[in-house]
Amino acid sequence: LRKKSKENFKSFTAQSSSIWHNPRVAWEDMAYALAGVDDITSKYGRLKYADERSFHRQLVKWTRWRIEQLCLEREWDTEPVLRHHPIFLKRLAELAVHEATASELCRRCKGKGWISTGYTMIDCFSCLGSGVLKKTEKFRARFVGISRQKWQETWKDRFRREILGIFDVFEYDIQRALRKRL
């Protein structure tokens, strides 16, 4: 296969088990599915599932634009944080793209989701049995450059519902395109 070819996939391990029923999707099926969705959704899928880092900057830029649209629609643009921190939206977009596309395995259970006690298997306390290390609200607030209290009061729910919801639409479009293929 050519190095820059869209078909340059080996196999994909889905990171979101709630959407995907088959944990491995053949690269031919995924390439077909990504060819049938819009450009930004295809870039998201290629970044998330094939780790094509060349699409990271474009996805962050598009996400920032979408967050700006949400700010205008929901009247968040009156927030002092948005007026006084020029890089806040960029950092918020970077955080959202990272959380939506990166899979960080839990260090304690090494991604298994459980720990052996010698007698039985128990769910990992660090990742709550998911195998993926969760980001703390303190980390998120520090990453975007605001206080933890301001993050908790104003941006925590917005980030989870509205901003990460952008990527749920991408996942849905990819799933729908895969269903057409399979």
Side-chain angles (χ1 to χ4, degrees):
L1 295 173
R2 295 183 307 274
K3 189 172 186 179
K4 300 262 183 190
S5 171
K6 289 190 177 199
E7 291 79 24
N8 195 10
F9 299 114
K10 292 189 176 96
S11 68
F12 298 90
T13 304
Q15 298 171 359
S16 176
S17 61
S18 63
I19 293 176
W20 301 82
H21 302 290
N22 184 2
R24 297 191 65 76
V25 177
W27 69 269
E28 295 94 348
D29 294 333
M30 185 58 87
Y32 178 84
L34 293 180
V37 295
D38 63 346
D39 187 49
I40 195 67
T41 304
S42 178
K43 289 176 181 177
Y44 165 78
R46 292 168 62 86
L47 175 63
K48 182 173 182 177
Y49 297 111
D51 199 29
E52 286 196 35
R53 305 301 300 166
S54 61
F55 295 118
H56 185 267
R57 182 183 293 166
Q58 295 170 359
L59 195 59
V60 168
K61 187 177 177 180
W62 186 90
T63 305
R64 179 180 176 173
W65 171 81
R66 185 64 186 116
I67 292 171
E68 288 173 356
Q69 297 300 314
L70 284 172
C71 288
L72 293 174
E73 291 169 10
R74 309 282 196 270
E75 298 179 0
W76 298 343
D77 55 346
T78 59
E79 295 280 330
V81 165
L82 295 174
R83 289 189 306 242
H84 299 301
H85 295 285
I87 63 167
F88 175 75
L89 289 178
K90 181 177 188 261
R91 296 294 287 177
L92 194 61
E94 288 173 355
L95 179 65
V97 169
H98 179 75
E99 288 200 17
T101 61
S103 173
E104 298 185 15
L105 296 179
C106 176
R107 291 182 203 104
R108 181 162 291 163
C109 66
K110 298 187 180 26
K112 294 181 285 188
W114 51 268
I115 299 172
S116 174
T117 62
Y119 296 107
T120 186
M121 309 283 192
I122 60 171
D123 285 344
C124 177
F125 296 113
S126 296
C127 64
L128 302 174
S130 69
V132 179
L133 191 60
K134 304 286 187 216
K135 298 281 190 287
T136 63
E137 300 305 326
K138 181 179 177 182
F139 169 82
R140 291 180 179 116
R142 196 174 11 170
F143 188 86
V144 297
I146 61 174
S147 69
R148 184 176 180 192
Q149 180 181 0
K150 183 68 173 173
W151 176 263
Q152 290 280 44
E153 291 173 358
T154 309
W155 289 98
K156 176 183 170 184
D157 291 334
R158 290 176 181 174
F159 182 75
R160 288 186 177 175
R161 275 194 312 259
E162 306 285 338
I163 297 171
L164 289 181
I166 295 167
F167 303 105
D168 291 341
V169 173
F170 292 160
E171 290 288 342
Y172 176 76
D173 289 344
I174 293 171
Q175 178 193 18
R176 191 179 54 192
L178 275 173
R179 250 187 280 135
K180 286 180 185 176
R181 171 76 176 168
L182 303 174

